[in-house]
Amino acid sequence: MILGIFITLPTCFNSYWRINKEEVKITSYNNNDAIKLMQLLGLHKKDEQVIKLANIENAEIIYKKNIRISPVDFNPDYLNLYLDTKDGQKYTLSLGNIDYQKLATIIQFLKDSQIELIDKQGIVQLLRENKNLFTHFHNKKWTAV
């Protein structure tokens, strides 16, 4: 039983990020489950990056459809926040299935730091109106390859 916990435990944890009024902190785990387990137990250092909001040039929110080649592909589409920094670095932060309230908080932190938010697809408005992004972007049709 204990072996089963150690085998499945690392797969339950994914990289994540946090934002506050001053910075974005990205915590990444190794793809190797054995190393990830050591990171979770504090025996191996996890990768942590800190991006000061003052160093971010702009942010863009983009919804990308997952190309499904099978009717049993239930993987979600992608909703990401892309950050471009003043020193030329680029970061991709997953927004998953974020709700409007959480996104509004992120947007406020960006605005307070004078960061331009690019939203060509109108995602902020869609979430404000409580629209389903999958339904909106797929128009109830299967995505073809």
Side-chain angles (χ1 to χ4, degrees):
M1 180 64 171
I2 292 176
L3 181 59
I5 292 172
F6 283 115
I7 291 172
T8 60
L9 183 64
T11 61
C12 298
F13 290 86
N14 295 312
S15 300
Y16 61 94
W17 62 276
R18 301 179 303 266
I19 187 171
N20 62 32
K21 293 180 180 186
E22 298 170 3
E23 64 190 22
V24 175
K25 188 172 190 178
I26 304 168
T27 303
S28 301
Y29 294 104
N30 195 289
N31 289 334
N32 180 305
D33 284 343
I35 295 173
K36 186 189 288 188
L37 178 60
M38 289 191 296
Q39 289 173 321
L40 292 169
L41 295 174
L43 303 173
H44 196 279
K45 188 176 179 185
K46 48 191 164 193
D47 182 32
E48 292 187 326
Q49 295 176 294
V50 176
I51 308 161
K52 297 291 184 188
L53 291 185
N55 189 37
I56 297 175
E57 184 78 33
N58 62 53
E60 184 169 13
I61 184 171
I62 298 176
Y63 185 95
K64 290 185 181 177
K65 293 191 276 188
N66 176 20
I67 304 301
R68 290 166 177 81
I69 57 175
S70 165
V72 293
D73 182 352
F74 297 109
N75 291 311
D77 290 345
Y78 307 98
L79 181 60
N80 293 319
L81 182 66
Y82 296 90
L83 304 177
D84 291 331
T85 63
K86 294 175 182 173
D87 59 1
Q89 298 291 319
K90 296 184 179 297
Y91 298 91
T92 302
L93 308 176
S94 174
L95 293 171
N97 58 351
I98 195 167
D99 62 31
Y100 175 70
Q101 286 75 26
K102 290 178 185 169
L103 183 58
T105 301
I106 293 168
I107 291 169
Q108 191 59 51
F109 287 151
L110 297 175
K111 278 185 182 179
D112 290 348
S113 294
Q114 317 306 301
I115 298 168
E116 176 190 8
L117 177 67
I118 302 164
D119 181 15
K120 294 176 184 173
Q121 297 170 305
I123 292 166
V124 174
Q125 183 63 34
L126 290 168
L127 291 175
R128 181 180 293 130
E129 295 171 0
N130 205 25
K131 302 278 185 184
N132 181 294
L133 295 178
F134 182 89
T135 303
H136 176 80
F137 286 104
H138 285 268
N139 296 323
K140 301 180 183 176
K141 296 178 183 175
W142 285 99
T143 303
V145 177

mmCIF file of all heavy atoms in Angstrom, residues 1-13 33 36-37 40:
data_model
loop_
_atom_site.group_PDB
_atom_site.id
_atom_site.type_symbol
_atom_site.label_atom_id
_atom_site.label_comp_id
_atom_site.label_asym_id
_atom_site.label_seq_id
_atom_site.Cartn_x
_atom_site.Cartn_y
_atom_site.Cartn_z
ATOM 1 N N MET A 1 0.820 -1.203 0.000
ATOM 2 C CA MET A 1 0.000 0.000 0.000
ATOM 3 C C MET A 1 0.858 1.258 0.000
ATOM 4 O O MET A 1 0.581 2.190 -0.726
ATOM 5 C CB MET A 1 -0.937 -0.029 1.221
ATOM 6 C CG MET A 1 -1.834 1.168 1.311
ATOM 7 S SD MET A 1 -2.951 1.228 -0.097
ATOM 8 C CE MET A 1 -3.995 2.507 0.412
ATOM 9 N N ILE A 2 1.908 1.293 0.791
ATOM 10 C CA ILE A 2 2.764 2.470 0.837
ATOM 11 C C ILE A 2 3.458 2.678 -0.508
ATOM 12 O O ILE A 2 3.585 3.793 -0.983
ATOM 13 C CB ILE A 2 3.791 2.366 1.980
ATOM 14 C CG1 ILE A 2 3.064 2.440 3.313
ATOM 15 C CG2 ILE A 2 4.832 3.470 1.876
ATOM 16 C CD1 ILE A 2 3.940 2.249 4.516
ATOM 17 N N LEU A 3 3.881 1.590 -1.156
ATOM 18 C CA LEU A 3 4.510 1.692 -2.471
ATOM 19 C C LEU A 3 3.558 2.340 -3.467
ATOM 20 O O LEU A 3 3.957 3.173 -4.255
ATOM 21 C CB LEU A 3 4.950 0.316 -2.973
ATOM 22 C CG LEU A 3 5.637 0.293 -4.337
ATOM 23 C CD1 LEU A 3 6.899 1.157 -4.315
ATOM 24 C CD2 LEU A 3 5.973 -1.119 -4.736
ATOM 25 N N GLY A 4 2.269 1.996 -3.408
ATOM 26 C CA GLY A 4 1.268 2.584 -4.292
ATOM 27 C C GLY A 4 1.157 4.085 -4.102
ATOM 28 O O GLY A 4 0.998 4.838 -5.054
ATOM 29 N N ILE A 5 1.275 4.550 -2.872
ATOM 30 C CA ILE A 5 1.210 5.980 -2.596
ATOM 31 C C ILE A 5 2.413 6.678 -3.215
ATOM 32 O O ILE A 5 2.294 7.727 -3.828
ATOM 33 C CB ILE A 5 1.136 6.248 -1.075
ATOM 34 C CG1 ILE A 5 -0.205 5.756 -0.536
ATOM 35 C CG2 ILE A 5 1.325 7.739 -0.776
ATOM 36 C CD1 ILE A 5 -0.309 5.783 0.958
ATOM 37 N N PHE A 6 3.596 6.099 -3.071
ATOM 38 C CA PHE A 6 4.800 6.719 -3.610
ATOM 39 C C PHE A 6 4.818 6.711 -5.134
ATOM 40 O O PHE A 6 5.400 7.580 -5.748
ATOM 41 C CB PHE A 6 6.060 6.052 -3.063
ATOM 42 C CG PHE A 6 6.371 6.468 -1.655
ATOM 43 C CD1 PHE A 6 6.319 5.557 -0.628
ATOM 44 C CD2 PHE A 6 6.681 7.791 -1.379
ATOM 45 C CE1 PHE A 6 6.601 5.944 0.669
ATOM 46 C CE2 PHE A 6 6.965 8.194 -0.091
ATOM 47 C CZ PHE A 6 6.921 7.266 0.941
ATOM 48 N N ILE A 7 4.175 5.746 -5.741
ATOM 49 C CA ILE A 7 4.137 5.695 -7.198
ATOM 50 C C ILE A 7 3.152 6.720 -7.753
ATOM 51 O O ILE A 7 3.429 7.396 -8.727
ATOM 52 C CB ILE A 7 3.779 4.274 -7.693
ATOM 53 C CG1 ILE A 7 4.952 3.337 -7.380
ATOM 54 C CG2 ILE A 7 3.482 4.263 -9.174
ATOM 55 C CD1 ILE A 7 4.650 1.880 -7.639
ATOM 56 N N THR A 8 1.998 6.860 -7.135
ATOM 57 C CA THR A 8 0.976 7.769 -7.661
ATOM 58 C C THR A 8 1.106 9.201 -7.153
ATOM 59 O O THR A 8 0.668 10.120 -7.826
ATOM 60 C CB THR A 8 -0.438 7.261 -7.326
ATOM 61 O OG1 THR A 8 -0.571 7.178 -5.911
ATOM 62 C CG2 THR A 8 -0.697 5.927 -7.977
ATOM 63 N N LEU A 9 1.702 9.414 -5.993
ATOM 64 C CA LEU A 9 1.789 10.749 -5.409
ATOM 65 C C LEU A 9 2.411 11.786 -6.350
ATOM 66 O O LEU A 9 1.831 12.848 -6.553
ATOM 67 C CB LEU A 9 2.546 10.709 -4.079
ATOM 68 C CG LEU A 9 2.647 12.034 -3.323
ATOM 69 C CD1 LEU A 9 1.267 12.517 -2.906
ATOM 70 C CD2 LEU A 9 3.548 11.891 -2.120
ATOM 71 N N PRO A 10 3.547 11.522 -6.979
ATOM 72 C CA PRO A 10 4.139 12.551 -7.838
ATOM 73 C C PRO A 10 3.259 12.957 -9.027
ATOM 74 O O PRO A 10 3.304 14.097 -9.456
ATOM 75 C CB PRO A 10 5.440 11.905 -8.339
ATOM 76 C CG PRO A 10 5.758 10.878 -7.319
ATOM 77 C CD PRO A 10 4.430 10.376 -6.825
ATOM 78 N N THR A 11 2.467 12.051 -9.534
ATOM 79 C CA THR A 11 1.637 12.392 -10.686
ATOM 80 C C THR A 11 0.482 13.306 -10.307
ATOM 81 O O THR A 11 -0.139 13.901 -11.178
ATOM 82 C CB THR A 11 1.083 11.122 -11.369
ATOM 83 O OG1 THR A 11 0.275 10.416 -10.443
ATOM 84 C CG2 THR A 11 2.205 10.243 -11.874
ATOM 85 N N CYS A 12 0.193 13.440 -9.027
ATOM 86 C CA CYS A 12 -0.911 14.288 -8.566
ATOM 87 C C CYS A 12 -0.509 15.759 -8.442
ATOM 88 O O CYS A 12 -1.355 16.608 -8.228
ATOM 89 C CB CYS A 12 -1.426 13.802 -7.220
ATOM 90 S SG CYS A 12 -2.096 12.141 -7.248
ATOM 91 N N PHE A 13 0.783 16.058 -8.543
ATOM 92 C CA PHE A 13 1.262 17.420 -8.360
ATOM 93 C C PHE A 13 1.797 17.975 -9.667
ATOM 94 O O PHE A 13 2.569 17.332 -10.356
ATOM 95 C CB PHE A 13 2.365 17.466 -7.292
ATOM 96 C CG PHE A 13 1.845 17.219 -5.912
ATOM 97 C CD1 PHE A 13 1.704 15.926 -5.429
ATOM 98 C CD2 PHE A 13 1.470 18.273 -5.102
ATOM 99 C CE1 PHE A 13 1.215 15.694 -4.160
ATOM 100 C CE2 PHE A 13 0.981 18.049 -3.834
ATOM 101 C CZ PHE A 13 0.847 16.752 -3.360
ATOM 102 N N ASP A 33 9.213 11.329 -12.322
ATOM 103 C CA ASP A 33 8.439 11.113 -11.093
ATOM 104 C C ASP A 33 9.310 10.887 -9.858
ATOM 105 O O ASP A 33 8.958 11.308 -8.762
ATOM 106 C CB ASP A 33 7.460 9.950 -11.265
ATOM 107 C CG ASP A 33 6.244 10.329 -12.094
ATOM 108 O OD1 ASP A 33 5.988 11.540 -12.270
ATOM 109 O OD2 ASP A 33 5.534 9.419 -12.564
ATOM 110 N N LYS A 36 10.584 14.259 -8.935
ATOM 111 C CA LYS A 36 9.443 15.034 -8.440
ATOM 112 C C LYS A 36 9.098 14.623 -7.015
ATOM 113 O O LYS A 36 8.818 15.465 -6.163
ATOM 114 C CB LYS A 36 8.232 14.857 -9.348
ATOM 115 C CG LYS A 36 7.064 15.761 -8.962
ATOM 116 C CD LYS A 36 5.788 15.460 -9.709
ATOM 117 C CE LYS A 36 5.818 15.858 -11.141
ATOM 118 N NZ LYS A 36 4.486 15.731 -11.793
ATOM 119 N N LEU A 37 9.131 13.330 -6.729
ATOM 120 C CA LEU A 37 8.860 12.848 -5.370
ATOM 121 C C LEU A 37 9.882 13.422 -4.395
ATOM 122 O O LEU A 37 9.515 13.885 -3.304
ATOM 123 C CB LEU A 37 8.868 11.319 -5.323
ATOM 124 C CG LEU A 37 8.641 10.703 -3.944
ATOM 125 C CD1 LEU A 37 7.291 11.113 -3.374
ATOM 126 C CD2 LEU A 37 8.756 9.189 -4.017
ATOM 127 N N LEU A 40 8.976 16.955 -3.724
ATOM 128 C CA LEU A 40 7.821 17.063 -2.830
ATOM 129 C C LEU A 40 8.198 16.786 -1.379
ATOM 130 O O LEU A 40 7.629 17.360 -0.456
ATOM 131 C CB LEU A 40 6.716 16.104 -3.276
ATOM 132 C CG LEU A 40 6.045 16.450 -4.607
ATOM 133 C CD1 LEU A 40 5.167 15.305 -5.078
ATOM 134 C CD2 LEU A 40 5.239 17.730 -4.487
#
